[in-house]
Amino acid sequence: MTGDDLLVLHTLRCIGFAGPCRIAAATGMTESEVESELIDLGVAGLVTHLPGEFGGWGLTDAGRAADADRITGELDSAGARTALTAAFEGFLVLNPELLDLCTAWQLRSVEGLMTANDHTDPSYDGRVLDRFAEFHRRAAVVCAELAAAQPRFGRYETRLTEALQRAAAGALEYVADDVASYHAVWAELHEDLLATLGIPR
């Protein structure tokens, strides 16, 4: 297993149950390319499809085992484990700060009480977005280190940048509410790192 089929399989492992559109956005492939790979992976018994309005694709137990074996082999054959582990440590330093930023985006203090942020105060939202932008400058450094160790990690920095740009342009759901939001992509990156390094949750 090499190339696009592994990329699709591993992406499903990181994002969970999903349709071709979301997988395409995560991988940078076209939907038709993704669908072709999913069909082949399905024939091989590595993924399964649930039809219907809320249907999609997910890994089978065999698919999860195959991905774990192939991803570990890829990492070790590239001699990238030490570099990726070091970059992961940088990610772990940033992770609590990202979670705090998401909390600040979703909740705010009003007269000493925490309440849901209804996003009717653009100055407050602007301050939080400024903090996200500052955070992203440091996150981009970590993403570059990850990509240097394993090139496929380079897609995350692109997706995080796109999410932040959309949020700054007024599409506020791209901070923490959309499946392509900054928070969602960061969570996928976290899952990818754990899966690649073989670290249990």
Side-chain angles (χ1 to χ4, degrees):
M1 180 184 298
T2 57
D4 289 347
D5 56 350
L6 177 60
L7 181 58
V8 169
L9 188 70
H10 189 64
T11 297
L12 264 182
R13 184 178 178 193
C14 296
I15 67 178
F17 193 76
C21 181
R22 186 175 177 195
I23 298 169
T27 60
M29 298 166 64
T30 67
E31 278 192 60
S32 61
E33 289 171 337
V34 168
E35 288 174 347
S36 177
E37 296 297 342
L38 286 169
I39 291 168
D40 289 344
L41 290 167
V43 170
L46 302 179
V47 301
T48 184
H49 181 254
L50 182 67
E53 182 180 355
F54 300 103
W57 295 83
L59 291 188
T60 62
D61 289 342
R64 183 171 295 274
D67 179 75
D69 181 65
R70 186 64 187 86
I71 286 296
T72 299
E74 181 183 71
L75 181 66
D76 292 336
S77 66
R81 183 174 292 275
T82 299
L84 194 68
T85 300
F88 179 49
E89 291 173 359
F91 173 93
L92 291 177
V93 170
L94 292 176
N95 194 50
E97 185 178 347
L98 186 277
L99 298 178
D100 287 344
L101 281 174
C102 288
T103 298
W105 180 255
Q106 294 169 328
L107 299 172
R108 58 178 301 188
S109 177
V110 177
E111 297 180 356
L113 298 174
M114 294 305 293
T115 185
N117 180 19
D118 60 8
H119 304 292
T120 57
D121 183 348
S123 63
Y124 176 84
D125 282 358
R127 289 195 299 275
V128 179
L129 285 173
D130 285 345
R131 290 171 59 195
F132 264 99
E134 193 279 327
F135 171 88
H136 182 64
R137 284 190 285 273
R138 288 178 285 124
V141 174
V142 171
C143 286
E145 293 170 352
L146 292 171
Q150 286 275 271
R152 64 181 172 78
F153 281 98
R155 180 84 183 135
Y156 287 103
E157 197 278 331
T158 300
R159 295 171 63 206
L160 290 168
T161 298
E162 289 173 352
L164 203 56
Q165 288 173 341
R166 289 180 175 184
L172 302 184
E173 67 272 19
Y174 281 94
V175 175
D177 297 317
D178 192 89
V179 294
S181 70
Y182 199 98
H183 179 256
V185 174
W186 186 265
E188 289 173 29
L189 173 56
H190 194 181
E191 187 63 33
D192 196 343
L193 285 164
L194 293 175
T196 302
L197 292 169
I199 300 171
R201 270 203 172 275

